[in-house]
Structure formats: C-alpha cells, structure tokens
C-alpha cells in the first residue's frame, strides 16, 4: 500500500496545480487581449487553442515516432469528443454560455469544413504524407484568416483591465502566461501519471486506463481553462478555446502521424469514433445558434452534451 502513496500525492498535487495554472493562464490571456487591443476570441482560438492542444501534439508526435499511429489518431479524434461533450458540457452546466453569432458563422464553419475533410482523408483507412500536407495547408489557411480577422475585430469584454494594465507590464504578463501554460501542461502530465499508477495498483486494465485517464488527461487543460473562463464570465474565450483546440486537433495533431509515420487507420475510427466527433461538431452549432438573436448554451444542453459523452464511453466498453 505505501507504493500507492506517491501516485495519490501526484494526483492531488496535479489537480491543485492545474486549478492554479488555469486561473493564471486565463487571467494573463485576458490581459494580453486588452494590452494589444486584440479580440479575446483570437486569444481563445490561438493562444488557448494551440496552448491547450500542446499535450495532444506531444503525445501524437511521440506515438507516431514510435510507430504507434493508432494512439495518435485516437488522441486527436478522442480529444475533440472530450472537448465538446465534456469541456463545453460541464462549462454550460456551471453557467449558461453566451455565444457570439459571428463565431458560428466563421470559426465554426471552418471547424466543420476541417472535420469533413479529415473524415474524407480517413475514409480510405489510410493516413499518409499527402493527407498530412492537406491538413497542414488547412492549418496555414486558418492561421492566416485568424490574424487578418484580429486586425478588424475590436470587440472586447475585459473592461475591468482597462485602468490597471498598460504596456509597461507586457513582459511580465507574457512571462506569467508562459509560466501558466508550462505548469498547466506539466500538471496535466502529473495527473495522468498519478491516475495510471493508482489504476494499475487496483488492477484496472491498460485499455481502460488509456481510454479514460490518459484521454481525459490530455483534455484537462481545456477543461480547466474553460471552467476558469466561465467563472470569470469570459464566455468568448470558452467557445474560442473549444473551437480553437478542436481545429488544432483536427488539422495539426491529425497531420502529425501522416507526416511522421504513414500507416493504416483502424476501421473502428470510421465506424465508431469519427461519427461521434462529427455529430458533436453539428450539435455545437445547434445548441449555440437556435436561430435566435441571443445564442446561449443553457444547462439542459450542457447535460445533453455530457449525455452524448456518457453514451460514447458506454460504446467503448
């Protein structure tokens, strides 16, 4: 039993650090948006989207180098399912999320196009270098579009920072943002390690560990950042974080195995996992848009998204 003490401490410390770093990361991201007069949506899409997808990229790259492309592909698809069904679902349960209409007309459309193209590339049950290049091209187009949009978009929701933040604090804010990101990713890894060790100590199979603890572990940064953003009423950053992270997962994380180690795709990905990812991407639009002036994801819809996640977990087992 003493052997399990260190993993339990790691698990608890990981969660504590995760909460702290998510708060720091969100706070300083908001300050950066204010200092540079950049839309918080852009911060959510790029800094949070890319930053919180770093664990998936790391796992995908290392797995692909080892020739384990199944893990890479499952990581990308699985994380997208976690992000919409669990991250957005739990965030909406905590507090109904107001969504700007233009994000659904632009960013969501890009995500939907990327999801459909990814599905077409996976359809032949093969992911190769050409597929990887197609996805990387989509990534370049998305980044180009986002930077152009950031110059035109002057909508802010962080008025509380206007009096307290100035450009002299830029270096410190960037430093704290980077420290927050490093601790965020490290604490997620700590939670995964502790969780795996505890699960093994209790005789849980490697398959169950991989599908639950590890899959959830790479999505913990998204979950932590989204909950912290919801509690601060920074709703643009919640939806921006989820859409941005899913875009990076679909067009960057999925491209990695194709470019590093071209290989076959398991039939289950197309028959079981991809349809759920596609369904959730469509549901994201339905629960947000509702063809009304105010686009709000309410608590009931949050529960509905979590229910889809529960159904998917049931399917896996």
């Amino acid at each position: 039993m003493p052997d399990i003490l260190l993993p339990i401490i790691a698990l608890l410390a990981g969660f504590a650090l995760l909460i702290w770093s998510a708060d720091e990361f969100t706070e300083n991201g908001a300050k950066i948006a204010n200092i540079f007069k950049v839309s918080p949506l852009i911060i959510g899409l790029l800094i949070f989207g890319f930053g919180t997808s770093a664990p998936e990229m790391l796992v995908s790259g290392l797995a692909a180098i080892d020739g384990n492309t199944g893990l890479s592909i499952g990581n990308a698809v699985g994380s997208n399912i976690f992000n919409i069904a669990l991250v957005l679902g739990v965030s909406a349960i905590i507090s109904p999320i107001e969504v700007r209409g233009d994000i659904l007309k632009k960013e969501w459309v890009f995500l939907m196009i990327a999801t459909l193209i990814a599905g077409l590339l996976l359809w032949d049950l093969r992911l190769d270098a050409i597929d990887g290049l197609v996805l990387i091209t989509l990534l370049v187009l998305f980044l180009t579009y986002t930077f152009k949009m950031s110059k035109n978009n002057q909508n802010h929701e962080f008025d509380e920072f206007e009096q307290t933040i100035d450009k002299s604090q830029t270096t410190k804010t960037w430093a704290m943002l980077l420290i927050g990101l490093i601790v965020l990713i490290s604490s997620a890894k700590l939670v995964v390690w502790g969780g795996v060790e505890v699960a093994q100590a209790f005789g849980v199979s490697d398959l169950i560990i991989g599908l639950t603890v590890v899959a959830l572990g790479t999505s913990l940064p998204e979950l932590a950042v989204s909950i912290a953003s919801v509690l601060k009423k920074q709703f643009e950053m919640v939806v921006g974080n989820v859409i941005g992270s899913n875009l990076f997962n679909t067009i960057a994380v999925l491209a990695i195995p194709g470019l590093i180690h071209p290989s076959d795709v398991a039939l289950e990905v197309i028959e079981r996992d991809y349809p759920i990812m596609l369904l959730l991407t469509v549901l994201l639009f339905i629960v947000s848009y509702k063809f009304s002036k105010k686009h709000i994801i309410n608590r009931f819809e949050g529960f509905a998204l979590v229910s889809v996640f529960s159904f998917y977990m049931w399917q896996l087992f």
Side-chain angles (χ1 to χ4, degrees):
M1 204 64 184
D3 292 341
I4 204 175
L5 189 61
L6 186 61
I8 289 173
I9 291 169
L11 199 61
L12 295 174
F15 278 121
L17 287 168
L18 199 69
I19 293 162
W20 175 84
S21 57
D23 187 65
E24 280 295 311
F25 193 53
T26 311
E27 188 83 8
N28 287 289
K31 288 177 183 178
I32 291 293
N34 186 266
I35 290 168
F36 291 104
K37 302 301 176 193
V38 173
S39 164
L41 172 61
I42 304 301
I43 297 292
L45 281 168
L46 291 185
I47 296 179
F48 291 179
F50 177 79
T52 57
S53 286
E56 284 89 343
M57 290 183 190
L58 185 66
V59 169
S60 189
L62 293 174
I65 290 167
D66 292 337
N68 192 356
T69 50
L71 178 61
S72 299
I73 295 164
N75 186 30
V77 176
S79 291
N80 280 6
I81 291 168
F82 268 82
N83 286 348
I84 298 176
L86 194 65
V87 174
L88 204 58
V90 169
S91 298
I93 290 167
I94 292 170
S95 175
I97 298 168
E98 191 170 340
V99 186
R100 269 189 26 220
D102 58 349
I103 192 177
L104 297 167
K105 292 172 185 173
K106 296 173 185 174
E107 283 70 32
W108 177 86
V109 171
F110 205 105
L111 175 61
M112 192 67 208
I113 290 167
T115 303
L116 291 171
I117 289 172
L120 287 172
L121 296 176
L122 293 170
W123 195 256
D124 62 354
L125 301 179
R126 179 83 184 164
L127 193 64
D128 55 30
I130 294 171
D131 298 333
L133 287 171
V134 170
L135 292 168
I136 289 296
T137 303
L138 278 177
L139 178 64
V140 172
L141 287 172
F142 170 65
L143 292 175
T144 304
Y145 158 74
T146 305
F147 280 119
K148 278 187 179 177
M149 185 179 70
S150 70
K151 291 178 181 177
N152 303 326
N153 194 337
Q154 297 299 319
N155 184 38
H156 309 289
E157 56 180 36
F158 301 118
D159 298 333
E160 67 268 29
F161 293 120
E162 282 181 5
Q163 303 302 320
T164 56
I165 302 301
D166 57 56
K167 291 198 175 182
S168 65
Q169 294 176 276
T170 304
T171 306
K172 182 187 173 185
T173 306
W174 273 114
M176 289 307 296
L177 187 75
L178 185 62
I179 290 167
L181 176 59
I182 291 166
V183 177
L184 193 65
I185 294 167
S186 303
S187 55
K189 294 292 175 191
L190 203 59
V191 169
V192 171
W193 178 81
V196 168
E197 291 293 315
V198 169
Q200 285 178 340
F202 286 101
V204 179
S205 74
D206 287 343
L207 176 64
I208 302 297
I209 295 164
L211 290 170
T212 54
V213 181
V214 176
L216 178 61
T218 55
S219 289
L220 278 176
E222 285 92 337
L223 183 61
V225 167
S226 291
I227 290 172
S229 297
V230 161
L231 293 174
K232 295 173 190 291
K233 305 293 182 190
Q234 293 162 358
F235 300 123
E236 251 185 89
M237 293 170 88
V238 177
V239 182
N241 176 33
V242 169
I243 290 180
S245 185
N246 277 24
L247 263 167
F248 278 106
N249 287 341
T250 306
I251 57 185
V253 178
L254 201 58
I256 292 168
L259 293 170
I260 293 176
H261 195 285
S263 66
D264 294 337
V265 176
L267 187 61
E268 290 86 356
V269 173
I270 288 297
E271 289 186 343
R272 180 192 62 202
D273 308 318
Y274 177 78
I276 295 287
M277 183 176 95
L278 182 63
L279 169 68
L280 283 166
T281 307
V282 173
L283 276 178
L284 174 60
F285 180 83
I286 293 170
V287 300
S288 303
Y289 201 69
K290 292 193 283 285
F291 302 99
S292 59
K293 283 185 179 178
K294 255 199 168 180
H295 311 303
I296 294 173
I297 304 173
N298 59 40
R299 285 190 174 92
F300 174 77
E301 288 157 346
F303 277 113
L305 290 172
V306 173
S307 298
V308 174
F309 174 76
S310 303
F311 169 73
Y312 175 65
M313 285 290 110
W314 173 78
Q315 263 199 326
L316 288 178
F317 302 117

